[in-house]
Amino acid sequence: EAVKLYTQAAKQGLAKAMYALGECYANGKGCVQNEEVAAKLYRQEPLQSYALAQNALGSCFTVGRGMVQDHGAAAQLYRQAADQGLADAQFTFGDCCMLGAGVAHD
């Protein structure tokens, strides 16, 4: 039922619903797991400034889940989410800086 309701809300442009639907597909909760669909949902325009979606999309880029691996794109997304105050993204972007993954080694 949740996937159906998230889908309806996402079709109306609700960013939180798009993110929640992406999480359902990423984790196979209430639907068949499909990482490509999850990544596509995280990329939707309303989510471009949504910290949770930026962090999730960064994770997709980091490991190549549903898309081609790209550490530079991942680091950029983690930084954007970190700049919005998302603690997980701050930590992960710190790791990127320490390891030189997608950014200059710091």
Side-chain angles (χ1 to χ4, degrees):
E1 185 72 13
V3 170
K4 178 182 171 185
L5 294 168
Y6 291 155
T7 300
Q8 290 172 352
K11 285 180 180 178
Q12 295 179 54
L14 183 64
K16 288 191 282 189
M18 289 178 194
Y19 170 73
L21 187 58
E23 287 293 285
C24 289
Y25 278 102
N27 298 300
K29 295 200 176 204
C31 60
V32 175
Q33 186 175 19
N34 188 326
E35 294 172 341
E36 289 179 11
V37 170
K40 184 178 177 181
L41 285 161
Y42 297 145
R43 287 181 158 194
Q44 295 297 307
E45 191 275 325
L47 296 180
Q48 297 303 307
S49 61
Y50 192 67
L52 290 172
Q54 290 169 327
N55 193 57
L57 186 57
S59 178
C60 292
F61 274 117
T62 296
V63 297
R65 190 174 66 230
M67 61 184 51
V68 175
Q69 189 176 40
D70 183 339
H71 291 286
Q76 181 179 8
L77 287 158
Y78 291 137
R79 179 173 197 141
Q80 290 171 356
D83 287 347
Q84 293 180 61
L86 186 64
D88 284 344
Q90 291 167 340
F91 179 82
T92 306
F93 185 63
D95 280 348
C96 291
C97 292
M98 182 180 70
L99 300 170
V103 293
H105 188 300
D106 181 322

